[in-house]
Amino acid sequence: MHRSADAMNAVAPRTRDARTHGGLHDAELSALQLAPADVLDFSVSCNPYGPHPEVLRAIRDADATRYPDPHALPARRALGQALELDGARIALGNGACDLLWTLARQLVRPGERVVIAEPAFCEFRTAAERAGARIVCVRAEPDADFALDLPAALAVARASRARVLYLCTPSTPAGAALPARDLVTAAREHPALTFVVDQSFLALSERFSDAQVELPDGVIAVRSLTKEHAIPGVRVGYLLAAASQVRELDAHRPAWPVSAHAQAAVIATCRTGPFVAESRARLLEDRRRLAARLRELGLDPVPSTTCYLLARVGRAAELRARLLARHGILVRDCSSFGLPEHIRVGARPLADCERLLAALRQELES
Ligand SMILES: Cc1ncc(COP(=O)(O)O)c(C=O)c1O
């Protein structure tokens, strides 16, 4: 990460497409005359072994004819039991993304500095900008395999008198991660700083046991059910924070923020036993195999703790377009992360990876 005063004070410029995300877009598919089912999607890194049938059944059976519980109490209780936490410390949202926006509305005052450890998922930064924050970026370096440098981020936060620090661990697009214990120590040493920690990929990462680490009040952990349960269409995520913070959060969002289907999904995910752990084991093995095969192609994927790999390929946007148009394969072009020569690919079962590798071999050689 940059440590210089210049870098600290720069309100980092953003490219116009900074809010690009992975996933399928109807306009692009229509132009290529592709249906969603024609596309093998490596761009979003959801669990390819899900969803669990119980979760799908619960979503299908949810009652759309009544308002859902406005405080999502049964779902928070179930999740609290599963996480061995008081449900009052849990807020559910319309995806982790919704919670990041709500937090920005709650935490950020116009003109204040917010430190963002980049490259990272872009939504908290976008929301903080809309709330009037002055963004101060610290960027992980390719030469250091995009390792998250917490001491550098804290130094920037102190120097810029920021009250909020956002970081993604595991990070996206690189998959670097910080031990949760380091965050606990940092939060104790910086009581005036609120740490918004995006752990959306934690459950599918080698650091999954960090989910058990008790976090102090200054740390808000944001998690997604989209990834490990493969339900991006449902839109459901949660955060863990002090109970007072959770109560205050509701003042910054509309009533009924979590649909009946999302609440039913949460309750059902708590009954899926070893499903996430088994998926993680398979996916981390898929990732190891994919990394080895990418190296055989002459690529050099960045070491990752989680279920996706970042690799430098040259012109990423062009490669993405060719893979989609010619092979029906979607990868994440990382230009929006300021990495126009990198793509990110999610781990998938062997047969899917063989298709990706064959397409990549063809396109990289042409
Ligand atoms: C790091 C990170 N956080 C949050 C999200 C959004 O998750 P959700 O689908 O729960 O809004 C994503 C989605 O790609 C992500 O990569």
Side-chain angles (χ1 to χ4, degrees):
M1 291 187 189
H2 294 297
R3 295 161 198 255
S4 72
D6 280 357
M8 278 161 31
N9 293 328
V11 175
R14 299 187 92 185
T15 55
R16 259 183 350 115
D17 65 351
R19 275 187 84 192
T20 306
H21 294 293
L24 310 179
H25 295 273
D26 187 67
E28 186 177 32
L29 294 191
S30 302
L32 294 169
Q33 297 185 320
L34 287 171
D38 299 331
V39 179
L40 182 53
D41 189 355
F42 286 83
S43 73
V44 293
S45 313
C46 287
N47 176 3
Y49 301 110
H52 192 287
E54 279 284 329
V55 175
L56 277 186
R57 192 171 314 119
I59 295 164
R60 245 190 329 260
D61 292 349
D63 188 351
T65 69
R66 294 177 198 274
Y67 276 101
D69 186 81
H71 304 292
L73 277 181
R76 287 163 65 201
R77 212 175 289 130
L79 198 52
Q81 265 166 22
L83 300 173
E84 296 178 21
L85 275 175
D86 181 356
R89 297 195 49 206
I90 300 173
L92 296 183
N94 191 28
C97 202
D98 165 49
L99 291 164
L100 292 170
W101 275 77
T102 306
L103 282 171
R105 285 196 296 274
Q106 183 186 1
L107 298 172
V108 175
R109 309 274 168 283
E112 276 185 4
R113 308 249 170 150
V114 168
V115 177
I116 309 275
E118 290 202 333
F121 187 62
C122 64
E123 293 290 328
F124 186 78
R125 175 177 174 163
T126 305
E129 283 173 345
R130 296 293 180 277
R134 297 182 64 194
I135 303 298
V136 190
C137 282
V138 284
R139 263 189 93 78
E141 297 295 344
D143 292 349
D145 285 337
F146 296 92
L148 290 157
D149 186 345
L150 185 57
L154 293 170
V156 168
R158 284 193 301 273
S160 60
R161 294 200 183 83
R163 282 196 320 118
V164 180
L165 164 66
Y166 169 79
L167 56 86
C168 235
T169 174
S171 67
T172 185
L178 281 176
R181 297 260 166 234
D182 291 5
L183 289 169
V184 173
T185 307
R188 295 216 172 101
E189 288 171 358
H190 296 78
L193 190 62
T194 299
F195 293 68
V196 177
V197 180
D198 188 336
Q199 297 181 329
S200 291
F201 281 100
L202 183 61
L204 294 181
S205 82
E206 289 159 7
R207 296 216 64 95
F208 65 94
S209 61
D210 275 0
Q212 261 43 255
V213 174
E214 196 176 328
L215 299 169
D217 283 355
V219 180
I220 301 172
V222 179
R223 298 184 187 158
S224 172
L225 295 182
T226 290
K227 316 294 179 184
E228 65 247 37
H229 285 285
I231 47 172
V234 173
R235 312 303 306 130
V236 65
Y238 65 95
L239 64 74
L240 307 178
S244 56
Q245 182 108 39
V246 168
R247 279 194 302 277
E248 173 66 14
L249 199 86
D250 277 337
H252 291 82
R253 57 185 186 166
W256 305 289
V258 189
S259 74
H261 300 76
Q263 294 189 33
V266 170
I267 293 169
T269 61
C270 298
R271 295 198 215 106
T272 53
F275 167 74
V276 172
E278 287 172 5
S279 299
R280 174 175 59 242
R282 296 170 78 178
L283 266 175
L284 292 179
E285 186 49 38
D286 292 337
R287 186 210 69 204
R288 271 187 281 277
R289 194 175 40 224
L290 179 58
R293 298 293 305 279
L294 288 172
R295 280 193 286 272
E296 283 169 24
L297 279 187
L299 300 177
D300 186 18
V302 175
S304 167
T305 62
T306 188
C307 61
Y308 44 80
L309 289 165
L310 178 68
R312 188 169 186 176
V313 292
R315 292 185 190 147
E318 273 176 34
L319 179 62
R320 174 195 176 281
R322 287 203 309 267
L323 287 170
L324 183 59
R326 296 185 187 166
H327 306 271
I329 286 178
L330 188 58
V331 299
R332 175 72 156 91
D333 156 27
C334 291
S335 301
S336 68
F337 295 106
L339 298 169
E341 298 200 338
H342 288 73
I343 58 168
R344 188 191 66 203
V345 288
R348 296 194 61 88
L350 183 61
D352 292 351
C353 289
E354 293 298 349
R355 267 188 64 191
L356 170 70
L357 290 157
L360 273 175
R361 187 173 302 113
Q362 200 176 319
E363 295 305 329
L364 290 171
E365 279 167 8
S366 70

